[in-house]
Amino acid sequence: MDQVKDTSVQDLTTQNTLALKSCAHDYHEFTDRDALSTYLYTLSSELPLLVLGGGSNLILPEVVTTPVIKLGFDQLEFAEEGDAVIVRAGAAIEWDKLVAEAVARGYAGIENLSLIPGSVGAAPVQNIGAYGVELVDVLLSIEAYDRKEKQYVTLTPDQCDFAYRDSIFKQKVGRYIITEVVLELSTQLDLKLHYGELKALLNDPAKAGARNNELSLQAVRDHVIKVRRAKLPDPDTIPNVGSFFKNPIVPESVYKSLKEQYPKLVAYPQENKEFKLAAGWLIDQAGWKGRVMGNAAVHDRQALVLVNKGKATQQDILALASAIQDDIQRIYGIALEIEPVSPL
Ligand SMILES: Cc1cc2nc3c(=O)[nH]c(=O)nc-3n(C[C@H](O)[C@H](O)[C@H](O)COP(=O)(O)OP(=O)(O)OC[C@H]3O[C@@H](n4cnc5c(N)ncnc54)[C@H](O)[C@@H]3O)c2cc1C
């Protein structure tokens, strides 16, 4: 079947991890490239459109006024070429299922990105990252429908403007519909354990859960999952979209002056003498952890996470976010940028 579903009204409340009550009035599902391109060809490229993945980085309105499309492409292929492994993964595959499969086959490169919710198709959108690894580190190319050129295109990483939680797909929302992602993994055990909590694996593998002191891909994945579960609320019990704000990157001069005023400031040196400030630390120090505003709240253990108390709307979440942004600007002179996307 080409176009599986084409309905006028679709409830999206269970399709977004903030559990915001939401529906689409123009909803389409596709499992076939030709059906997708035929549908997109007829639409003006200027018309806003929402591609819905796992809904784990979205702040949905009560009614999504644009067309909503959901992809069913779930092809998955691994091909070894010497030490390299070329992975072709359809947009609809759950990202963490891909990580689990790669780790089980002994292919290295994405184990640090374990347990990030959402779909493969959305992974390039904000260049997902965790524990010192970003998607761009293993990305070979992307297959997408370009609504401006009205054809399928293959994009290489240097065409995608990747940066920290950013890409051309986030800047030009709705232009590209990503159908497949091509990664290059490795058969060689090249572990990246320099970042934060992963250092524990290097220092004391047994304590960090590695069996027989053996550092394997599975041991890294298990450790990442353990740390993430301890740190981040599970959206199934406490609706959220993970980190709500990006960690701001500031010049050295700004970092130094803040560090003088706040000696405990948490920051990480970047290239070009810039510093990435821990947004969660700024928000926590400003007294926001656990604060409730109407139906939205700041999580009581993780200040970077905003949660739906049950009946929150897009406006409730954005009002809380805006109050936090104002406070952080007033106290530290720092502009916090919201990470998840708010569709029309
Ligand atoms: C508990 C929790 C922890 C998280 N931890 C991390 C983390 O460690 N690192 C990190 O980077 N992110 C993290 N996130 C954010 C989120 O998991 C990622 O941004 C993820 O890639 C979103 O995938 P999704 O399928 O749910 O996308 P959605 O939320 O459905 O969509 C997000 C955006 O991508 C667009 N999009 C989706 N699919 C496509 C497609 N096929 N083509 C074009 N555009 C598309 C959407 O239109 C939208 O603009 C976390 C979220 C949660 C809830």
Side-chain angles (χ1 to χ4, degrees):
M1 198 186 301
D2 293 344
Q3 186 168 337
V4 181
K5 197 166 185 183
D6 191 357
T7 58
S8 47
V9 179
Q10 174 80 19
D11 189 358
L12 304 179
T13 311
T14 58
Q15 292 201 54
N16 72 99
T17 62
L18 256 176
L20 299 176
K21 192 166 172 291
S22 178
C23 70
H25 281 193
D26 188 8
Y27 180 86
H28 310 263
E29 287 182 6
F30 298 94
T31 55
D32 181 84
R33 273 167 60 97
D34 291 341
L36 175 66
S37 56
T38 304
Y39 167 74
L40 292 171
Y41 194 84
T42 59
L43 289 186
S44 156
S45 63
E46 302 299 317
L47 184 75
L49 176 97
L50 171 66
V51 191
L52 180 64
S56 63
N57 215 25
L58 285 172
I59 313 165
L60 291 180
E62 264 172 84
V63 177
V64 182
T65 53
T66 68
V68 174
I69 66 170
K70 181 100 187 166
L71 303 179
F73 306 128
D74 59 1
Q75 70 281 7
L76 180 58
E77 280 172 31
F78 295 87
E80 286 193 24
E81 291 179 12
D83 287 349
V85 183
I86 310 303
V87 185
R88 303 190 76 92
I93 292 174
E94 206 182 306
W95 171 260
D96 194 50
K97 287 213 169 120
L98 172 61
V99 179
E101 183 69 31
V103 167
R105 289 169 180 248
Y107 298 150
I110 48 177
E111 57 286 350
N112 290 23
L113 304 180
S114 290
L115 213 67
I116 297 181
S119 58
V120 163
V125 174
Q126 71 156 3
N127 181 24
I128 56 169
Y131 302 104
V133 173
E134 289 182 326
L135 182 82
V136 68
D137 300 333
V138 291
L139 186 73
L140 269 189
S141 63
I142 286 169
E143 300 295 317
Y145 185 86
D146 180 348
R147 291 178 63 211
K148 196 164 172 216
E149 299 298 328
K150 290 199 177 288
Q151 60 180 354
Y152 281 104
V153 292
T154 301
L155 300 169
T156 55
D158 54 1
Q159 291 174 291
C160 300
D161 222 355
F162 285 119
Y164 162 65
R165 301 294 186 273
D166 201 16
S167 74
I168 193 174
F169 311 108
K170 209 161 178 181
Q171 294 151 16
K172 299 186 174 175
V173 178
R175 172 164 173 185
Y176 296 100
I177 315 300
I178 298 168
T179 53
E180 186 176 72
V181 171
V182 185
L183 308 179
E184 180 176 334
L185 305 184
S186 171
T187 56
Q188 302 301 304
L189 193 66
D190 175 21
L191 302 176
K192 301 203 170 49
L193 304 175
H194 56 282
Y195 195 92
E197 290 96 332
L198 291 198
K199 283 187 193 144
L201 271 177
L202 278 178
N203 300 338
D204 193 347
K207 203 170 164 198
R211 264 174 245 132
N212 309 323
N213 263 5
E214 204 177 298
L215 279 180
S216 61
L217 291 177
Q218 192 62 52
V220 176
R221 173 167 165 79
D222 291 348
H223 189 65
V224 168
I225 290 175
K226 193 172 94 185
V227 171
R228 289 184 68 98
R229 286 209 170 119
K231 246 168 72 171
L232 289 167
D234 176 0
D236 285 343
T237 42
I238 304 177
N240 74 87
V241 278
S243 304
F244 200 89
F245 300 99
K246 291 187 187 179
N247 290 319
I249 297 176
V250 298
E252 190 179 28
S253 55
V254 173
Y255 162 73
K256 278 189 171 163
S257 113
L258 279 173
K259 187 80 181 167
E260 239 169 63
Q261 289 178 72
Y262 307 97
K264 289 188 176 160
L265 179 76
V266 179
Y268 309 93
Q270 306 292 294
E271 287 163 11
N272 311 327
K273 289 193 163 184
E274 290 182 316
F275 282 80
K276 191 190 271 181
L277 308 181
W281 188 90
L282 300 174
I283 298 166
D284 190 2
Q285 293 302 302
W288 279 96
K289 199 189 267 176
R291 269 173 73 175
V292 179
M293 234 175 90
N295 292 306
V298 180
H299 189 251
D300 52 11
R301 281 182 295 116
Q302 181 50 267
L304 199 49
V305 176
L306 303 196
V307 304
N308 175 1
K309 297 292 282 179
K311 290 192 177 143
T313 60
Q314 185 190 52
Q315 290 95 314
D316 292 331
I317 299 287
L318 292 178
L320 174 58
S322 166
I324 294 171
Q325 284 172 313
D326 289 349
D327 228 20
I328 299 303
Q329 181 72 56
R330 183 179 58 76
I331 299 170
Y332 307 102
I334 297 287
L336 282 186
E337 199 182 325
I338 293 176
E339 185 187 295
V341 180
S342 294
L344 300 170

